[in-house]
Amino acid sequence: MKRVAFAAVLGLAACSRQPAETPPSPTPTAAVSASPAAAATTISDDRAVPKPGEQKTFRDWTVACDNVARCAMASLGTDADFPAVTMQVARAAGPDGAVEVALDMPQGDGDAPATLRIDGRAFAVGGNGLSGAPAAAIARALANATTIEALDKSGKRLGTISAAGASAALRYIDAQQRRAGTVTALVAGGDKPAAAVPAAPPAPRVRAVAFAGTPATLTPTLLATMRRTAACDPTFSGPEPRAHGLADGATLVMLPCSAGAYNEIDALFIVRDGTATPAKTDAPAGFEETGADSQTPVHSVINGDVDGGVLRSYAKGRGLGDCGVMQSFVWDGTQLRLTGQRSMGECRGNPDYLPVWQARVVRG
């Protein structure tokens, strides 16, 4: 099997800047006030320190839970098989936490799976997934499965999914959501009522300053200063720096600094009144998060872009995009705040990253 090895991939050629999948965008409310100091008095911010969930692997399944106790498990390819079909089973926390099942075909755009056959028992999946009671029935069938097949609408087999480790991953979800011994558990069931299951904790609130206004002019002198500060690769001739105006009068600068395997490293700066300072973040970003050394002494994002008032980073573990870390940040007037993170720590053919952190963005 292959695991993410970010430090090793840096010596290879750079590839596409666009991620195969991006974290979900936070839901905005109203436009932010131009004054962060004034906004802070009227907008709630829980000032939570991000603690992304841990990912664990049980043979051919990997599983993770986020900070609101939503858990998801994803199938993986075996050493001898790059998967034609992958599956993710997710469950929300709480007594009524619903189960969701999603299927994907990472190698092509052929006919979508219409049926799952688990140990000979058929489950209709209606294209590529389902939720509620039908999804829970599939999850419970996985607990004792030995064979899992995906079929198209004509009954043709599209691929198989390994059952090895599925039961252990489901048991882990039961434990993390404190369902063990209750009637809601998928594996570790018991007689305790659903009311014994704790409610989902709320997502922390993060106050965001809008991406708005005219960005600062990046003079050659200012750019040279930023490149020296970030220790950028002097031989790197990447795209032009991107400057994004912020509603509090600052400018966020994404400075292309170096490149490696399928990844462009963008150093982050905040410009105010003609002076650039390295941007602060409340959580490790880009290669910092993976533990790899980007050789850039300021915070950076990987394959970064800005979309809908959110700064995104996508550190790819390899060119297939089946492993890595996706992150989203907003600016709160002082620092960049992590609002979403999805991870896939196993390079085994499944590009369906698992959520490990989420926050609720508040714009006022």
Side-chain angles (χ1 to χ4, degrees):
M1 71 179 67
K2 294 185 178 179
R3 295 179 180 269
V4 177
F6 289 91
V9 302
L10 287 174
L12 302 179
C15 190
S16 170
R17 293 175 42 78
Q18 298 299 321
E21 178 184 346
T22 56
S25 298
T27 301
T29 56
V32 74
S33 166
S35 169
T41 65
T42 60
I43 300 175
S44 297
D45 189 320
D46 294 318
R47 311 306 301 179
V49 177
K51 295 181 179 178
E54 181 182 7
Q55 187 173 338
K56 289 184 174 292
T57 298
F58 301 94
R59 299 182 69 181
D60 297 331
W61 287 78
T62 190
V63 59
C65 300
D66 65 16
N67 54 304
V68 298
R70 181 186 185 276
C71 299
M73 53 187 272
S75 65
L76 303 170
T78 64
D79 288 338
D81 178 35
F82 197 88
V85 181
T86 59
M87 181 191 305
Q88 184 175 124
V89 180
R91 190 171 197 185
D96 301 321
V99 178
E100 298 177 354
V101 173
L103 301 174
D104 190 23
M105 299 183 66
Q107 297 188 60
D109 299 321
D111 290 342
T115 303
L116 272 179
R117 191 161 60 197
I118 302 175
D119 293 339
R121 182 182 174 189
F123 296 87
V125 293
N128 65 350
L130 68 167
S131 62
I138 289 175
R140 289 191 166 91
L142 291 176
N144 298 301
T146 56
T147 62
I148 308 170
E149 301 170 289
L151 313 175
D152 67 13
K153 60 184 178 181
S154 68
K156 176 184 175 182
R157 189 171 76 175
L158 299 172
T160 62
I161 298 168
S162 174
S167 180
L170 289 165
R171 187 178 295 274
Y172 178 83
I173 291 175
D174 282 343
Q176 294 300 301
Q177 296 182 335
R178 294 169 61 184
R179 299 183 183 280
T182 76
V183 295
T184 73
L186 295 172
V187 177
D191 296 329
K192 294 180 182 178
V197 179
R205 294 167 297 181
V206 173
R207 186 184 67 84
V209 173
F211 281 72
T214 303
T217 300
L218 304 181
T219 66
T221 299
L222 189 60
L223 288 171
T225 298
M226 287 189 286
R227 290 191 177 102
R228 284 195 302 270
T229 301
C232 293
D233 180 354
T235 66
F236 178 58
S237 57
E240 292 297 314
R242 283 93 71 202
H244 300 274
L246 300 165
D248 61 357
T251 294
L252 171 68
V253 178
M254 301 166 62
L255 180 70
C257 205
S258 60
Y262 2 98
N263 294 300
E264 177 190 295
I265 301 172
D266 300 323
L268 300 175
F269 287 86
I270 296 296
V271 174
R272 288 187 187 273
D273 301 322
T275 300
T277 57
K280 298 178 180 179
T281 65
D282 70 342
F287 282 129
E288 289 177 300
E289 197 284 332
T290 69
D293 181 8
S294 70
Q295 300 182 351
T296 300
V298 302
H299 293 299
S300 58
V301 291
I302 312 302
N303 302 317
D305 70 341
V306 170
D307 181 28
V310 177
L311 170 65
R312 302 183 188 278
S313 178
Y314 179 30
K316 299 174 71 171
R318 64 177 181 175
L320 296 173
D322 61 344
C323 52
V325 178
M326 299 175 179
Q327 296 172 293
S328 56
F329 296 86
V330 296
W331 176 248
D332 73 352
T334 301
Q335 62 181 339
L336 291 163
R337 306 276 296 282
L338 183 69
T339 59
Q341 184 166 312
R342 302 168 71 93
S343 301
M344 177 55 73
E346 300 281 354
C347 301
R348 294 173 58 184
N350 191 336
D352 198 4
Y353 288 30
L354 304 178
V356 293
W357 176 263
Q358 60 171 295
R360 182 164 66 89
V361 176
V362 179
R363 306 185 191 275

